[in-house]
Amino acid sequence: MVKDKATVVVVGGGATGVGILRDLSMRGIDALLIEKLDMVNGASSRYHGLLHSGARYAVRDQEAAKECIEENTILRRIGKSCVEAISGMFVQVEGDDPDFVDPWVKGCAESGIKTRELSKEEAWSLEPNLSRKLVRAFEVPDGAIDGFRMSWQNVQSAVRYGGRYKTYTELIKINIESGAVKSITVRDNVTKEEYDIECEILVNAAGPWAGKVAQMAGLDCSVSPSKGTLIAFNQRISNRVVNRLRKPSNGDIFVPHGSITILGTSSITIPDPEDTSTSWEEVEELMKTGEGVFEHLRDYRILRVFAGSRPLYVPKGADGGRNASRGFVTLDHEKEDGLKGMMTICGGKFTTYRLMAEKFCDVLAPKLGNTAKCRTAEEDLVPAVSEADKKAARQYFPSYGVNLAATRLGTEKFPEVVKTLKENPETREVLCECENVTMAEVMRIAQEPTSHSVADVRRRTRLGMGTCQGNYCAIRSAAIANKLFKDKLEGCGDSLSDMKNFLQARWKGITPVMAGKTLREAEMTRGMYEVLFNVNGGRR
Amino acid sequence: MELEERARDSADNCIACTSCVAVCPVTKANPDYRGPKLVGPAHNRMHFSDENDYEDSLKLCSNCKNCDITCPNGVSVATLNMLERAKYYKAHPEKHTQADQMLSHNFQMADMLKSIPFGRTCANIGMSIGEAMGMMGAMGIAPQRKSPRFATKYFREMYKEIKQPEGLTKEVLFFPGCFIDTNDPEVGVAFVKVMNANGYKVLMDDRFKCCGSPLVVGGYLDEARSHADNNVAIINEYAAKNIPVIACCTSCSLMLKAEYTELFAQEEMAQAAKNVYDAFEFLTILAEKGELKKVHVSSDKKFIYHAPCHLRAQGMGMPAVDLLKEIGVNIDSADAGCCGMSGSYGFHKENYETSMKIGSELFDKINASGAHKVVCDCGTCREQIKHGTNAKTTHPIQVLAKAYEQ
């Protein structure tokens, strides 16, 4: 049954998809994005949150490096509510190849990336935890970017231009008539309803799942999902991004990200992008390399470990993994395979998501007779909450809470939350003490039509992502949020099972690193929920 | 390495178990205080988000250390709070009140008065007049309280007049601390008697400065650091000569033994800490070696003992009450938590109510005990007990000194 139609349907709610949704909407093209789960649940949030300066690619791939520095500059300007405008360092430690430095410095200069060599003393004074085995250090304009906020802010920007989106809406069939895509069949993963959406062009922006989507149309698109494992530490080990100055390899990058630090990544070619499993061995490999940069790394508390898969595009006959290009391709299936009305975008990097969308839409728009120029670099993703509004709201927020809430909520929801805080003082209660999230914010996000579980609320608030990994906020928020969800997910029909699912997902990231301080925390969670609250009813 | 680890990782060790909130006497008495966990380790991770923000209720922490005592993971919660407070006042020096200034720098006033003829007598009369006229409140000091009077002769002056027995071969260096030196010198006199009776000559070193505890809680961390450096150098000098340093004030000894290292993370501070003892800790070591002078008390006059929080934070039990019991003193521990004074905390006008609320359990126990005197190692705890109960108070070293006189 046809229930909806859009000129363009974009499949995939990651950085690539939201970038295209925004770009098309700003060009005045009617676009609808569908995502099978919650927005940003794939590689766009399962990465280290690095806004590349491009320096990492300066030797091997100068084109990528140039793209990175240009996009880095643009995102710092348009993404003030999702970019942490910090800087970065490349450090060489004892044992690293000294001959790598000169070509790297030259490569950066040629790519337009400003570098500045720091004396060892300067580097240590800026980042006191850096290894004493430091040899050379350079400053570069790296930054940090929050995948969750960036993606939602792109969606919000698209919505202002008429763009639409549906989460928990999974593509199950591509309906082709006489060599052209006519419609798609989707399943609503909340209500289980199946229906058709008519479209003129179907955009496959499913990242590592792009191969699977192409298959539904009988096409072959070789995407090689490459799993990257990352470690989240409990605090900021440095205030700048710290990269290892050597030929890019595993465990090279530390990104201070909000209250935490993320160390990544590994690169393992996997058959199934759904595989986000991690192992102690992967962690150990990252830790061993990471110790080269921060020699006391093992003294720091690990919060969790997580993995995502990069959507690496492998042209026929080429290698995958770390050697596969970080560049992207636009596949026009009309040209390539004789199928009208379908295009695929493959590969790419988070940092260049906007540029990818621009180039892709430059090909797509003319097919619809649209000649509008890309304007995504000209306008802020979202308007920022004013300093005056933040200052006025400060009295209602917990300390250190206003800035974060303002960037998460944006100009529309922030005043609503402030109003709730003002009128109902009990909603000032901090439900998540580790990440400073108030009851009012949880309530507001729970009311969003896209929120169906505490995990959805987590992705938009950082609830449960700090020190105690959901220990206290799970029980505090499950009942409150579940009263407010419009539709609930299967298996989350009541607040108890939602709470258990939420904790189970936190648990997944904790198990591979269950030692030392992390073990103490996990044991307390077990003690509280299994023993004290007996959430499993005494059964194993 | 161990030192670095502790300083760096303190907040990382927090598992957010909330035990500290459960035992925090301030949280219990004053709901405005958001609790040690949030204000300490939790906020520690959030500072990145807003450099100009601060936690208003941070000023309500009394630094009593019950959070540190309770923490199952060894987080120095109170110290994290004090470091945070220091950072705030460094950025906002204008926020210091007159009371902060006075209560943190009592040692300056004491030194100044000593240099003026009849300075102390005049100051004491001045305090009486000030209290009677309600002027203390205007300065931010709790008008309900009677400020401790300056002794007309400080311990450092009395010490010079004490004739210690000839031929004592063993030596200890006394760290009197401000309260004993300038307010309650008889404690120092009793200490000398006890040590002499055990074959020790008591030395003094005029270069010692206030331990810095009142400076830390007032947010004057840089000043505290200079005191720490000064005192630590002296302690290590004596350590090299195998002369231990002994304090009778448990807040001073906690500062010298633990807080310097927690706050400033210097190797020489950790080194100095090993040479510092609380008086009864030292006497207990003597007793264990069989070197303590034997004495038995036959009187059954009843005492009640209050264990200062800063003694409990040293993690060595209650050596004073154990030792006094051992020699036959009829004494029991009140076991009633914090007295609420926490050094200068209870003297602040805005903390008075909280302070008295915290102390109420102790006051009730003392009043119901029928004891003729309250024994306590801490000078400001004793002030609080006198204020809350009208009971007579004494330092345990004075009880022991009296026993030796029999």
Side-chain angles (χ1 to χ4, degrees), chain A residues 217-356:
Chain A
L219 306 174
D220 181 32
C221 167
S222 25
V223 177
S224 156
S226 160
K227 190 176 79 167
T229 298
L230 305 114
I231 302 174
F233 292 88
N234 180 45
Q235 56 176 303
R236 287 171 83 96
I237 300 172
S238 60
N239 281 314
R240 285 161 190 75
V241 176
V242 179
N243 306 263
R244 190 80 167 260
L245 179 49
R246 62 173 184 187
K247 187 168 168 267
S249 85
N250 295 349
D252 277 353
I253 309 176
F254 287 87
V255 185
H257 210 286
S259 53
I260 65 173
T261 304
I262 299 177
L263 162 64
T265 61
S266 57
S267 184
I268 306 162
T269 304
I270 48 167
D272 183 2
E274 304 286 351
D275 177 12
T276 53
S277 64
T278 54
S279 69
W280 175 249
E281 288 73 24
E282 291 168 71
V283 171
E284 199 42 41
E285 194 209 328
L286 290 172
M287 290 298 286
K288 270 199 187 118
T289 324
E291 274 179 302
V293 173
F294 293 113
E295 55 196 334
H296 298 296
L297 191 62
R298 284 176 202 271
D299 295 344
Y300 291 97
R301 156 99 162 265
I302 295 178
L303 279 183
R304 61 189 289 108
V305 53
F306 60 101
S309 40
R310 303 177 188 85
L312 299 185
Y313 177 69
V314 188
K316 285 175 184 79
D319 267 359
R322 177 116 10 233
N323 294 324
S325 167
R326 261 47 171 179
F328 73 98
V329 287
T330 297
L331 300 173
D332 181 348
H333 295 297
E334 188 177 352
K335 270 192 201 157
E336 308 264 335
D337 312 287
L339 174 65
K340 274 179 80 169
M342 181 159 168
M343 290 174 72
T344 293
I345 180 163
C346 231
K349 289 180 295 297
F350 191 98
T351 299
T352 56
Y353 88 96
R354 192 211 61 84
L355 180 70
M356 287 159 60

Side-chain angles (χ1 to χ4, degrees), chain A residues 234-235 258-259 296 299-301 394 399-400 403-404 430 433-435 467 472 517 520-521 524, chain B residues 4-5 8-9 12-18 34 37 43 45-50 53-55 73:
Chain A
N234 180 45
Q235 56 176 303
S259 53
H296 298 296
D299 295 344
Y300 291 97
R301 156 99 162 265
R394 193 159 274 196
S399 37
Y400 311 104
N403 270 349
L404 295 172
V430 182
E433 287 164 278
C434 306
E435 290 293 324
T467 305
Y472 283 87
K517 292 163 192 165
R520 291 182 189 169
E521 186 79 66
M524 189 172 70
Chain B
E4 259 182 53
E5 219 177 274
R8 187 175 55 234
D9 276 358
D12 241 10
N13 285 326
C14 173
I15 58 166
C17 72
T18 317
R34 309 202 56 217
K37 173 180 84 166
H43 278 169
R45 297 174 65 251
M46 302 311 290
H47 294 150
F48 77 93
S49 73
D50 196 341
D53 207 356
Y54 67 97
E55 169 60 44
N73 289 312

Side-chain angles (χ1 to χ4, degrees), chain A residues 103-207:
Chain A
W104 178 82
V105 172
K106 188 165 159 272
C108 285
E110 284 169 4
S111 311
I113 302 159
K114 271 191 195 139
T115 58
R116 181 172 73 96
E117 178 148 21
L118 306 167
S119 70
K120 283 199 265 189
E121 286 64 33
E122 206 177 347
W124 283 323
S125 84
L126 291 172
E127 294 302 347
N129 297 324
L130 276 180
S131 171
R132 299 291 118 176
K133 291 178 178 156
L134 182 72
V135 179
R136 294 179 79 177
F138 292 82
E139 193 176 46
V140 295
D142 282 339
I145 182 162
D146 184 301
F148 297 108
R149 273 184 277 160
M150 186 286 258
S151 301
W152 273 109
Q153 288 167 8
N154 267 277
V155 171
Q156 283 154 10
S157 168
V159 167
R160 282 198 300 279
Y161 288 95
R164 291 179 292 146
Y165 63 98
K166 293 183 173 193
T167 56
Y168 291 99
T169 301
E170 183 168 2
L171 173 72
I172 53 173
K173 200 165 156 243
I174 299 172
N175 305 310
I176 300 166
E177 273 175 42
S178 31
V181 174
K182 284 288 167 230
S183 68
I184 54 169
T185 305
V186 297
R187 184 197 303 122
D188 184 321
N189 278 333
V190 180
T191 63
K192 306 292 163 195
E193 184 194 2
E194 291 181 9
Y195 59 92
D196 290 356
I197 304 173
E198 285 182 346
C199 61
E200 286 178 42
I201 295 177
L202 176 66
V203 173
N204 173 11

Side-chain angles (χ1 to χ4, degrees), chain A residues 38 148 168 431-432 437 441-443 445-448 450-465 469-506 529:
Chain A
D38 188 19
F148 297 108
Y168 291 99
L431 292 193
C432 169
V437 188
E441 186 175 348
V442 170
M443 288 166 68
I445 296 300
Q447 286 164 37
E448 286 287 286
T450 48
S451 296
H452 307 287
S453 70
V454 179
D456 293 342
V457 176
R458 168 180 74 80
R459 278 181 282 268
R460 304 203 50 182
T461 58
R462 284 195 62 80
L463 177 90
M465 293 173 85
Q469 289 288 301
N471 208 352
Y472 283 87
C473 63
I475 188 160
R476 288 173 182 165
S477 56
I480 292 168
N482 271 273
K483 273 187 200 156
L484 298 166
F485 294 147
K486 290 203 171 58
D487 301 296
K488 289 171 188 174
L489 279 185
E490 197 179 22
C492 294
D494 58 87
S495 54
L496 178 62
S497 33
D498 190 18
M499 182 180 83
K500 282 161 73 173
N501 286 343
F502 179 71
L503 284 168
Q504 200 61 45
R506 299 283 86 200
Y529 286 88

Side-chain angles (χ1 to χ4, degrees), chain B residues 170-189:
Chain B
K170 295 180 282 187
E171 291 173 327
V172 292
L173 177 65
F174 185 44
F175 185 92
C178 304
F179 192 86
I180 291 172
D181 182 25
T182 65
N183 300 100
D184 203 359
E186 290 303 331
V187 174
V189 174

